Amino acid sequence: MGFDKEGSAPDSEASETKTSPKIPPNEDAVDGYHPPGINRKASESSLCPTEDEDDDDEEEREIELGPKCTLKEQLEKDKDDESLRRWKEQLLGTVDFESVGEKLEPEVKILSLAIKSHGRPDMVLPIPENGKPKGLWFTLKEGSKYSLQFTFQVSNNIVSGLKYTNMVWKTGVKVDSTKEMIGTFSPQAEPYTHEIPEETTPSGMFARGSYSARSKFVDDDNKCYLEINYTFDILELLEAKALLRWKESLPNQSSLQTWTLAVNNENLTSPCNWFGISCDNAGSIIGITLASSRIRGNLSNLDFSYFPNLACLNLSSNVLSGPIPSELGSLSKLTHLNLSMNYLSGFLPLSLSNLTQISLLYVGNNLISGELDPRLFSNWNKLQFLELHNNNFTGMIPSEIGLLVNLVELALSSNHFHGFIPSEIGNLTNLDALALHRNHLSGPIPSSFGNLTELTMLFLHQNEFSGTFPHSLLNCNLLVELLLFTNRLSGFVPQGLANLTSLRELHLSENNFSGPLPQVCQGAKLQLFTAAFNNFTGPIPKSLRNCTSLVRVRLHNNQLSGSLDRDFGVYPNLNYCELSHNRLEGLLSAKWGGCRNLEQLKVAGNMIKGEIPEEFGKLNRLAPCSNTTVEKETHKKNHNVPIIVVSASLSWLILSLALFIPYALSRRAERSRGSKEAMDVQLVLDPRIRTPADEETALEVASVVRHAVSYICVEPKSRPTMRWVSQALSEARTNV
């Protein structure tokens, strides 16, 4: 667009064109001979003013070039002149004369125009038919380098002396004029590509603002093939300066070393090349992704009004504190906002309701408090992922949350919400995961949950729900994880759970359920099944006998009956089984020796008889446990098997203390080293067990979760869904 005079080629020199063939100038003719058929008179109908607008004070000259000829006629002339024939072949190249027709006038069609800038995608400019783009055609940043590239096609005849001219005005005063000789070209089917040498937009107070310009493509006959009248802007680096002001307010800037406007070769560095910053084709910042960058400080000095095109803001897993700025609500194009795993406090600003394009909102694992304003949900029509878990929210869950009909994941867990669950949640028929656990929610589980047929994860544990098991949940036949433990639910559990063939985890512990255990694992791959601390009666379900996928089972503290040796099968993946304090009878069967991964088997408080089979000696992972029960204390001679009885003798107590004290001291030393980082992580409570995981597990979980959230915005397909985080927690869980 013609600002950098030093970077432009002189008018007499043509820039390199990337495709061939290119016509040599006439002075290359053999012996200085200029064929009369090639020299021609300009067509009056093709003339358009160019040189007079350039103010070059050049005297217009009209030259008699002679009559024009078609390409076929050119070849027919002087056929006997060998040197002239070779010159014409060089001139015309591999032209298909059958396709060029008999037209005298050449035709040049400009196919595309693009502004190229290093480190950013090419800005392809639409070419209007009338040559007048509507409104602002493009925007450039001050001090930025760019080049213009265009492709064109030549047909019918040779185009001679094709050149590009451009003039720029600001407030009516011409500030720049550029002429670029492109060259002479023969017609061909393949388009030509030409790139103008790189230029630099001016910078400074007087350079910023709006410009008008006119670009033309003309040939030696002054025939104009394209004229475009347009406007463009040169803007100040306001976004970059806003980021630098925020950087200066932060105590730790080690990860932001690339954030600088230092002059490099007399040009300002572009913020589009800074760490964590992404831009659109026009150079405007559209993404700020600084997850896990060890940034401390707050957001009060980051002026969001300078980022009108910001679409993604990811500051997760840092040490940011203070309130969430209400100015975030001015980001009308924001689609992804991730502020999770920080120390942000205060209220959730009502201005966030202005984010009409938002599809992902993560502010979990902070210190945000207050009630959720129902007006927040009025404009979030495109919201798919809402995670507010592990904060200090209070009050009731607003019924207006049912307006978010496109939600796929909703996490309000680990807060202080109370009252009933609004039945309007049943309107969220696209929900894949719902986490409301660790609150003070009460009342019955709404029957409208039966509408959530896409649900695969439902976490309602550790609340105060009452009433019976909601039969409507049987409609959710895609459920993979159902967690209802530690509530006040009562009554029978429907046997229809057997129809949930995708179920892998079922947790019913610490309620007031009664009646028989539900039939589960019929066609499903159930791995975790807990129903402890209830009033279940009757025999062990037959479906459990052949459930070889089981990994963890907790059925203790019920009134279950049956036989320990007949009602249980072989579980190759089982690592933890607790059946204590029931009414089980029978023997410790040798079949338990087939559970090769078994680490703990607890059957105390039952009526188990007999000897411990020698197969138990082959279970290398099985740990001695003081509540493993056998009635007889005898064993066969020469049988090298572990025998542990219910009575806690003094010798066992001394042995336990001798083993425990060194272990406790070593764990204390480990915890002192890792406690600080563990305290920084609030997402470490295991959602499937009542007791928190230990700090070693916490650090492992923190690592995988922080790794996952860092991909938001950078790789949307790798978004860390609740299922992903749940899987990470499950894999890192200790047996409690």
Side-chain angles (χ1 to χ4, degrees):
M1 307 303 163
F3 285 110
D4 190 355
K5 292 289 186 181
E6 296 179 359
S8 302
D11 293 347
S12 59
E13 297 178 6
S15 300
E16 180 181 356
T17 301
K18 297 183 180 178
T19 56
S20 58
K22 186 175 180 180
I23 302 301
N26 288 342
E27 56 266 32
D28 291 339
V30 178
D31 299 327
Y33 174 71
H34 298 267
I38 297 297
N39 299 325
R40 58 188 181 276
K41 182 177 180 180
S43 170
E44 301 219 351
S45 62
S46 68
L47 294 178
C48 65
T50 56
E51 300 301 325
D52 56 335
E53 297 172 335
D54 290 344
D55 293 334
D56 290 335
D57 295 327
E58 292 185 0
E59 188 178 311
E60 292 192 19
R61 297 182 298 271
E62 185 175 334
I63 304 175
E64 285 290 330
L65 298 177
K68 292 184 179 180
C69 299
T70 66
L71 289 179
K72 290 182 179 180
E73 293 173 341
Q74 294 283 8
L75 288 180
E76 292 297 324
K77 292 182 178 181
D78 307 309
K79 289 191 298 183
D80 297 334
D81 191 327
E82 181 66 20
S83 62
L84 188 56
R85 183 184 62 80
R86 289 197 304 269
W87 180 83
K88 290 181 180 180
E89 289 177 355
Q90 178 187 5
L91 178 71
L92 298 176
T94 57
V95 176
D96 181 7
F97 293 98
E98 299 298 326
S99 63
V100 297
E102 301 290 338
K103 294 184 179 180
L104 296 177
E105 295 288 342
E107 202 56 51
V108 177
K109 183 177 182 180
I110 310 301
L111 303 177
S112 67
L113 291 170
I115 295 177
K116 304 184 65 175
S117 184
H118 179 69
R120 295 202 299 271
D122 294 350
M123 187 194 310
V124 180
L125 303 175
I127 303 176
E129 293 183 0
N130 61 1
K132 295 181 179 180
K134 293 183 179 180
L136 194 68
W137 205 23
F138 58 86
T139 300
L140 297 174
K141 296 282 184 154
E142 63 173 339
S144 61
K145 291 185 176 182
Y146 73 95
S147 61
L148 178 66
Q149 177 180 281
F150 45 84
T151 60
F152 59 95
Q153 193 169 32
V154 179
S155 57
N156 295 338
N157 212 329
I158 299 171
V159 59
S160 177
L162 184 65
K163 59 180 175 289
Y164 163 79
T165 66
N166 184 67
M167 285 172 291
V168 182
W169 293 268
K170 184 179 183 183
T171 62
V173 178
K174 187 166 70 171
V175 295
D176 190 81
S177 178
T178 301
K179 288 192 296 184
E180 174 81 10
M181 175 59 71
I182 302 174
T184 299
F185 302 90
S186 62
Q188 65 176 31
E190 295 78 17
Y192 295 94
T193 300
H194 184 84
E195 184 172 332
I196 292 178
E198 188 175 65
E199 300 183 11
T200 303
T201 57
S203 59
M205 179 177 62
F206 296 105
R208 302 167 198 143
S210 297
Y211 293 80
S212 60
R214 177 184 299 137
S215 294
K216 292 182 179 181
F217 292 86
V218 297
D219 63 12
D220 278 347
D221 293 335
N222 281 344
K223 180 179 180 180
C224 184
Y225 297 101
L226 178 65
E227 178 179 331
I228 304 178
N229 296 276
Y230 58 94
T231 59
F232 67 97
D233 284 349
I234 294 180
L235 299 181
E236 184 181 2
L237 297 173
L238 298 176
E239 298 169 330
K241 293 179 180 179
L243 289 175
L244 290 178
R245 285 192 294 270
W246 180 54
K247 173 187 173 183
E248 292 301 320
S249 71
L250 302 175
N252 180 15
Q253 305 175 6
S254 59
S255 59
L256 306 178
Q257 294 180 357
T258 61
W259 286 24
T260 177
L261 284 178
V263 175
N264 181 20
N265 294 329
E266 298 183 357
N267 296 304
L268 298 178
T269 57
S270 171
C272 300
N273 299 322
W274 291 357
F275 168 74
I277 303 300
S278 56
C279 299
D280 60 13
N281 292 344
S284 183
I285 294 177
I286 59 173
I288 302 176
T289 306
L290 299 172
S292 302
S293 298
R294 302 187 301 277
I295 297 176
R296 296 178 180 271
N298 56 62
L299 299 175
S300 59
N301 290 309
L302 181 53
D303 192 340
F304 291 100
S305 64
Y306 288 107
F307 304 93
N309 298 310
L310 192 65
C312 176
L313 177 61
N314 183 359
L315 302 176
S316 61
S317 301
N318 285 292
V319 199
L320 297 171
S321 58
I324 297 177
S326 60
E327 290 78 13
L328 276 172
S330 65
L331 302 177
S332 60
K333 296 184 180 180
L334 196 66
T335 61
H336 290 68
L337 175 59
N338 185 1
L339 302 176
S340 62
M341 300 186 75
N342 281 287
Y343 294 91
L344 299 171
S345 57
F347 302 107
L348 201 62
L350 180 59
S351 62
L352 295 184
S353 63
N354 297 326
L355 303 178
T356 57
Q357 302 301 313
I358 196 73
S359 65
L360 183 147
L361 177 56
Y362 285 178
V363 293
N365 294 281
N366 280 288
L367 304 173
I368 305 170
S369 58
E371 298 186 7
L372 289 179
D373 194 315
R375 293 172 292 177
L376 278 169
F377 311 109
S378 58
N379 295 320
W380 291 347
N381 300 324
K382 298 182 180 181
L383 189 63
Q384 293 181 291
F385 307 99
L386 176 60
E387 299 193 1
L388 310 178
H389 58 279
N390 210 359
N391 279 286
N392 295 318
F393 288 111
T394 57
M396 301 179 66
I397 299 176
S399 60
E400 286 80 1
I401 203 167
L403 298 174
L404 309 180
V405 293
N406 288 310
L407 270 186
V408 176
E409 293 179 3
L410 173 61
L412 304 178
S413 54
S414 299
N415 282 288
H416 303 290
F417 292 116
H418 66 268
F420 289 14
I421 296 179
S423 60
E424 286 80 0
I425 283 187
N427 299 334
L428 310 180
T429 55
N430 291 307
L431 268 185
D432 175 80
L434 175 60
L436 302 177
H437 56 285
R438 294 195 190 94
N439 281 291
H440 305 290
L441 299 171
S442 58
I445 298 175
S447 60
S448 61
F449 274 27
N451 299 331
L452 309 180
T453 55
E454 299 295 321
L455 204 61
T456 64
M457 297 173 59
L458 179 57
F459 293 173
L460 300 178
H461 54 283
Q462 293 179 284
N463 277 289
E464 301 171 15
F465 294 122
S466 58
T468 60
F469 188 102
H471 283 68
S472 61
L473 283 181
L474 301 182
N475 296 332
C476 306
N477 53 16
L478 298 180
L479 271 175
V480 175
E481 300 177 41
L482 176 58
L483 281 67
L484 300 176
F485 67 86
T486 316
N487 279 291
R488 299 175 182 175
L489 300 171
S490 58
F492 285 21
V493 176
Q495 297 298 316
L497 280 177
N499 298 325
L500 302 182
T501 56
S502 299
L503 204 59
R504 288 202 305 264
E505 297 192 23
L506 176 61
H507 300 270
L508 307 173
S509 295
E510 300 184 63
N511 280 287
N512 296 314
F513 290 123
S514 57
L517 281 175
Q519 294 287 340
V520 291
C521 205
Q522 292 183 345
K525 298 296 183 182
L526 192 65
Q527 297 176 2
L528 286 87
F529 179 35
T530 66
F533 294 105
N534 279 287
N535 298 309
F536 287 113
T537 58
I540 300 296
K542 293 182 180 180
S543 58
L544 281 183
R545 179 181 179 87
N546 299 318
C547 192
T548 58
S549 57
L550 283 173
V551 175
R552 182 182 177 90
V553 177
R554 299 175 66 210
L555 304 178
H556 54 93
N557 293 87
N558 282 288
Q559 302 175 42
L560 299 171
S561 59
S563 173
L564 187 63
D565 54 326
R566 293 193 304 270
D567 294 339
F568 292 89
V570 177
Y571 311 102
N573 302 310
L574 188 67
N575 63 41
Y576 184 93
C577 182
E578 185 167 4
L579 307 172
S580 304
H581 304 292
N582 280 289
R583 298 178 180 178
L584 299 174
E585 300 177 345
L587 306 172
L588 274 177
S589 170
K591 293 186 299 184
W592 287 98
C595 304
R596 298 298 183 185
N597 291 306
L598 191 62
E599 297 178 4
Q600 294 191 40
L601 174 62
K602 301 181 180 182
V603 294
N606 287 287
M607 294 175 284
I608 309 302
K609 301 179 180 180
E611 302 169 347
I612 296 179
E614 63 180 1
E615 283 79 6
F616 274 61
K618 301 176 182 179
L619 300 178
N620 299 326
R621 298 186 178 186
L622 190 64
C625 187
S626 60
N627 63 349
T628 303
T629 303
V630 292
E631 189 174 272
K632 295 184 179 180
E633 300 181 24
T634 61
H635 60 90
K636 294 182 180 180
K637 197 172 185 179
N638 297 328
H639 281 186
N640 184 20
V641 295
I643 300 238
I644 296 146
V645 296
V646 172
S647 58
S649 63
L650 180 61
S651 60
W652 172 253
L653 180 60
I654 294 174
L655 177 61
S656 298
L657 290 173
L659 293 174
F660 176 76
I661 291 175
Y663 172 77
L665 291 175
S666 65
R667 289 292 297 151
R668 182 177 181 182
E670 292 176 6
R671 291 181 181 182
S672 65
R673 290 191 297 267
S675 61
K676 185 178 185 301
E677 184 173 357
M679 290 176 63
D680 288 345
V681 182
Q682 303 175 31
L683 190 64
V684 299
L685 294 180
D686 191 333
R688 298 159 183 76
I689 55 180
R690 189 176 186 180
T691 309
D694 62 16
E695 291 178 4
E696 182 178 355
T697 303
L699 296 180
E700 181 177 355
V701 172
S703 175
V704 293
V705 172
R706 282 174 171 166
H707 176 74
V709 297
S710 65
Y711 282 96
I712 296 180
C713 300
V714 178
E715 299 180 27
K717 293 183 180 179
S718 302
R719 179 185 49 78
T721 62
M722 286 168 52
R723 179 182 296 105
W724 194 100
V725 175
S726 169
Q727 181 181 357
L729 286 165
S730 180
E731 292 174 352
R733 179 171 58 247
T734 58
N735 291 323
V736 177

